[in-house]
Amino acid sequence: MERSRLIEVFQWLHRHPELAMEERKTTAFIRNILAENGVRLLETGLETGVIAALGKGEGPTVALRADIDGLPVCEQTGLAYASGRPGVMHACGHDFHAACMLGAALLLKAREAELPGTVKVIFQPAEEVNRGAALMVATGLLDDVRLFLAGHTYPWYEAGILGVRPGPMMASADRFSAKLTGKGCHAANPERGIDPVPALAAIVTAAQSIVSRRVNPFDSAVVSVTRVAAGNTWNVTPETAELEGTVRAMTEAVRCDIRRRLEAMVTDTARAYGCEAAFEYERGPSPVINDEALCRRAASLARAQGLEVRENPPSMIAEDFSEYLKIAPGAMFRVGTGGGYDNHHPRFTADPEALMPAAAFFAALAERELRQLAA
Ligand code: NI
């Protein structure tokens, strides 16, 4: 696919954003381009998302992964190809990811006869709600994949710069909540009730000590209480109080340790104040831990292709790319797309000039890794 056509594809996707699990037009658009170019599509049995396969059907398999969903954000970029759907925007660059991996798929299609194995190209729905990767994995079509590769837009680097992070790159993201039950009463007679509000306040304060006092200073973690709720008015002591928040960690060990300590802190503190606590903890995506040797090989390939490589910092944001890494190792790279507004910001943009070099990089990396696995 030519550079100008690839940019058109990206701009079409940008104009037509769809929310997670609703990516029907996006799916049809991607399927059409792949089918027009003779790329084999695998039957996923899902309404949205696409998995394509390139190669002769022998040898090892590696995968390239893009995500395709937009966000409920009102676009304010002023771009000529801005979202045509009010309130929905490709504000995280998943349009760029899809176009980039379409470009890579077509570059690989041109070399299909030479490929020493299979490249599966994943266009995953619903990354923003952490569902899509699990759906793709559940198709069973990725069971034979031995290496997963992905890229993510990065507004803090200009086009032509690739961010590589060997080892832990993105955090796990879990949600916790607690409901404290005391005993409501007239606010003038506290001795007749059990006030859950001081218990809630004590928990919020104590939770801050988990990261500062219980996690090794050389490990990274976040505990944030993001919502508290109690009572309806000024002269009634409420019966219940609630809190909700998130735990982020870069390793499974730290993640599990924080969960255990947080649960104990909530239930024991509540008890100390005479309340009962119902604690809930929902595990979200796991940490993304990049394969270090793969990162080194990718960095040298990127340099050979004329990209500038920078080692970039890890992030406490999560990515469901980690679901694929439960099958096989892999790495996610940050693709410089300029713009200077953060991902998810209404003014977020991705420089189309970054597309072709990124597509070429991922196609070359997939082929080279395939060659290494086949050797
Ligand atoms: Ni994203």
Side-chain angles (χ1 to χ4, degrees):
M1 187 181 284
E2 284 168 23
R3 176 186 155 280
S4 58
R5 173 72 183 125
L6 191 58
I7 291 174
E8 273 173 30
V9 164
F10 161 66
Q11 293 177 342
W12 189 96
L13 289 165
H14 192 82
R15 245 193 103 60
H16 300 88
E18 293 176 295
L19 293 175
M21 302 308 293
E22 295 172 6
E23 310 94 334
R24 290 181 197 88
K25 286 188 183 135
T26 307
T27 296
F29 180 75
I30 292 168
R31 287 182 69 96
N32 284 342
I33 292 174
L34 291 167
E36 272 169 20
N37 286 279
V39 176
R40 190 157 59 95
L41 300 173
L42 304 182
E43 193 38 68
T44 63
L46 297 169
E47 232 183 296
T48 62
V50 180
I51 303 178
L54 298 123
K56 302 181 298 281
E58 302 150 7
T61 301
V62 303
L64 294 173
R65 177 272 205 165
D67 42 16
I68 63 173
D69 51 325
L71 281 161
V73 170
C74 281
E75 180 157 353
Q76 293 172 20
T77 61
L79 288 169
Y81 55 92
S83 169
R85 297 193 57 205
V88 186
M89 177 188 175
H90 270 298
C92 195
H94 298 188
D95 47 354
F96 183 96
H97 303 163
C100 171
M101 292 312 181
L102 266 170
L106 299 187
L107 288 168
L108 289 163
K109 178 68 190 171
R111 297 191 44 77
E112 197 164 33
E114 280 91 1
L115 292 180
T118 301
V119 181
K120 291 186 175 170
V121 188
I122 305 162
F123 299 89
Q124 171 206 311
E127 189 279 330
E128 296 292 357
V129 296
N130 299 321
R131 279 186 64 192
L135 290 172
M136 294 276 105
V137 167
T139 63
L141 296 170
L142 304 173
D143 291 351
D144 60 345
V145 174
R146 291 176 58 191
L147 195 79
F148 288 91
L149 302 167
H152 203 291
T153 54
Y154 195 62
W156 316 114
Y157 291 166
E158 294 307 310
I161 301 174
L162 186 78
V164 179
R165 176 75 205 173
M169 178 188 185
M170 302 191 79
S172 57
D174 300 339
R175 173 186 168 275
F176 65 88
S177 65
K179 184 172 182 182
L180 312 182
T181 304
K183 190 176 165 208
C185 60
H186 195 297
N189 303 319
E191 79 284 4
R192 292 193 189 143
I194 300 171
D195 188 351
V197 173
L200 182 88
I203 289 168
V204 172
T205 304
Q208 306 309 312
S209 71
I210 295 179
V211 172
S212 69
R213 304 289 82 186
R214 290 292 162 197
V215 174
N216 184 323
F218 293 98
D219 288 325
S220 308
V222 172
V223 175
S224 291
V225 176
T226 55
R227 187 180 70 86
V228 292
N232 297 308
T233 187
W234 66 283
N235 58 358
V236 177
T237 293
E239 178 112 347
T240 62
E242 293 168 23
L243 63 86
E244 193 175 357
T246 186
V247 171
R248 310 281 165 132
M250 297 305 266
T251 68
E252 192 59 34
V254 171
R255 181 190 200 181
C256 292
D257 193 45
I258 291 178
R259 178 203 174 131
R260 195 168 50 77
R261 292 184 188 280
L262 185 63
E263 179 163 11
M265 191 170 266
V266 169
T267 50
D268 294 351
T269 305
R271 194 173 308 125
Y273 282 79
C275 296
E276 287 296 318
F279 180 79
E280 277 178 35
Y281 195 95
E282 259 173 52
R283 280 167 65 94
S286 295
V288 172
I289 300 176
N290 287 335
D291 187 87
E292 300 199 8
L294 167 61
C295 285
R296 280 195 295 277
R297 296 194 297 273
S300 72
L301 178 77
R303 282 191 199 96
Q305 291 206 326
L307 293 168
E308 181 186 335
V309 174
R310 292 196 199 158
E311 182 161 326
N312 72 355
S315 159
M316 299 311 282
I317 295 174
E319 238 293 345
D320 72 0
F321 181 65
S322 54
E323 280 300 309
Y324 302 107
L325 302 184
K326 292 173 183 168
I327 298 178
M332 171 170 262
F333 302 93
R334 293 205 172 99
V335 178
T337 45
Y341 284 99
D342 208 355
N343 295 83
H344 297 203
H345 190 281
R347 296 211 162 107
F348 172 86
T349 54
D351 184 352
E353 291 306 323
L355 269 173
M356 204 65 206
F361 165 72
F362 281 107
L365 183 60
E367 182 171 348
R368 212 189 57 176
E369 290 301 316
L370 210 49
R371 218 163 279 291
Q372 173 148 334
L373 286 167

